[in-house]
Amino acid sequence: MKSRIVVMGAAIVIIGTVIFVSNSHSSAKPISHTSSLSYKDGSYNGSVNSAYYGNVQVKVNIQKGKIVNVSYIQYPTSDTTSVYIAKGILPYLKKEVIKAQSAHINIISSATYTSDAFISSLSSALQKAQ
């Protein structure tokens, strides 16, 4: 029981400091960010991708050629630590996508599997919107 508390405590510290690592080593294939990139309006579901202890799938909403929302169709729900990490970082990744208007965002090193799965799902949804 104590080790689980220590692990979760470490996750709080890591998520609280938000450590970034470039997604260039990632298995995800993000769409390159360009300021003139415009998408077709609509809602697009991304692919289902493994985040090791569960799957991640996103839905992206496009209005007037811009990403206006990213919602979660699936995210880890069984492993306590994975659920905790996913709930902590998924809103942050969503905010970064809307700011960047692409899947070209940094991953969070304390949540590499979840970040990679999110970026892969988002990339596949954005490919449909091109």
Side-chain angles (χ1 to χ4, degrees), residues 101-128:
Q101 288 296 302
S102 76
H104 187 68
I105 60 172
N106 291 327
I107 64 168
I108 299 174
S109 64
S110 60
T112 305
Y113 293 124
T114 304
S115 296
D116 277 346
F118 174 90
I119 291 168
S120 292
S121 184
L122 178 71
S123 293
S124 70
L126 292 176
Q127 287 173 351
K128 296 173 185 177

Side-chain angles (χ1 to χ4, degrees), residues 31-117:
I31 297 172
S32 297
H33 174 67
T34 61
S35 58
S36 63
L37 189 60
S38 181
Y39 303 106
K40 293 182 281 186
D41 288 356
S43 294
Y44 303 92
N45 292 345
S47 58
V48 177
N49 295 283
S50 175
Y52 194 74
Y53 287 109
N55 292 324
V56 173
Q57 182 182 23
V58 301
K59 178 180 188 176
V60 64
N61 295 321
I62 310 291
Q63 290 179 358
K64 298 181 182 176
K66 301 288 184 188
I67 300 169
V68 295
N69 191 33
V70 179
S71 55
Y72 311 103
I73 298 171
Q74 293 184 50
Y75 61 89
T77 58
S78 59
D79 178 72
T80 306
T81 304
S82 294
V83 170
Y84 180 78
I85 290 171
K87 286 184 177 184
I89 67 137
L90 290 174
Y92 181 81
L93 292 172
K94 171 184 171 176
K95 184 173 81 171
E96 289 300 304
V97 167
I98 292 170
K99 181 179 172 184
Q101 288 296 302
S102 76
H104 187 68
I105 60 172
N106 291 327
I107 64 168
I108 299 174
S109 64
S110 60
T112 305
Y113 293 124
T114 304
S115 296
D116 277 346

